[in-house]
Amino acid sequence: KNVAPSMDLVLTNLTSYAALAPEKNGRSGCLGSLNIAAPGNAQIKFALVEEGTNTPVPLGPTYEMTVFDLDASKRGMTEVVGVSNYSSIEAVALKPNIVGNNAWFRATDVEVENPDTNNLNNLTPAQIDASFSVSYTGTSEWVVHFHAEQGGRKTGGRNFFFSGTSCASVNRHECHCPVPPEYPPPVPPEMPPPATWITSFSSTSLYSKDRKS
């Protein structure tokens, strides 16, 4: 809901799908999350629609999507994501395997820390390396393939995270939360000079009692 002003994002499963922890599906802060039982896969259609409806939004010049935290577990589960019909893709460390009209990204790192769901403009280098960005032009919907591959005898589940523009987007890899500016310590206000007390004594009054005539 409300991924942009007057705009919702609707996800539709196009294949058989099983989740290990369906309560993890949905939105958390700035991130969307999709849980898949491993081994398993899902083909999901992403559609931008007018708020509260299923009416596609007008075709914009470009819509962008970022996939985060593409990693593997210590037990051997590996995440793989495939995209197609894109206008451009951007990745710092992940290398897509291009097969026909599809670009497949396979996790190369193990147990990458999840990004802060409320601040996608402050990703660590490891989090950027485990992310990629894909842009779509002339459409308001696209299909993404999510695979959770089993590398051993263990089974389980994997969480796939996604959002719009972020630090994983093109030309934004160095972005971070603005550092508060350092200001010089305030100069204390100039204090007025201490008041001068002046008492006048006559020589006669100071010494008249002690002086001998």
Side-chain angles (χ1 to χ4, degrees), residues 7-191:
M7 186 184 299
D8 293 342
L9 174 65
V10 176
L11 273 63
T12 304
N13 176 39
L14 303 180
T15 58
S16 60
Y17 162 70
L20 179 70
E23 69 277 4
K24 293 185 177 180
N25 287 339
R27 179 176 177 175
S28 176
C30 299
L31 281 179
S33 176
L34 176 68
N35 180 268
I36 294 180
N41 60 80
Q43 189 174 333
I44 304 295
K45 182 177 76 171
F46 289 71
L48 294 170
V49 300
E50 295 178 0
E51 183 179 3
T53 74
N54 289 319
T55 304
V57 300
L59 302 183
T62 300
Y63 292 115
E64 184 174 359
M65 174 180 174
T66 301
V67 176
F68 301 92
D69 192 40
L70 198 65
D71 61 1
S73 73
K74 294 179 180 179
R75 299 184 300 175
M77 300 291 179
T78 302
E79 297 173 356
V80 181
V81 175
V83 295
S84 60
N85 299 317
Y86 51 85
S87 56
S88 65
I89 51 178
E90 173 72 14
V92 173
L94 295 172
K95 304 299 182 184
N97 180 27
I98 308 297
V99 181
N101 192 37
N102 295 286
W104 293 93
F105 290 87
R106 175 180 293 272
T108 56
D109 294 329
V110 176
E111 301 291 352
V112 176
E113 182 182 4
N114 292 344
D116 182 351
T117 59
N118 292 311
N119 187 359
L120 301 183
N121 287 324
N122 189 22
L123 301 179
T124 67
Q127 289 169 336
I128 292 178
D129 287 349
S131 305
F132 71 90
S133 176
V134 55
S135 298
Y136 300 91
T137 301
T139 184
S140 59
E141 62 181 42
W142 52 88
V143 175
V144 181
H145 299 257
F146 297 93
H147 291 207
E149 296 185 352
Q150 182 179 5
R153 296 181 179 181
K154 298 288 187 179
T155 59
R158 302 301 296 169
N159 296 311
F160 294 84
F161 299 104
F162 52 88
S163 79
T165 303
S166 74
C167 274
S169 303
V170 64
N171 298 326
R172 298 188 63 193
H173 304 145
E174 299 300 326
C175 66
H176 54 77
C177 287
V179 177
E182 294 185 3
Y183 296 105
V187 178
E190 185 176 350
M191 299 297 292

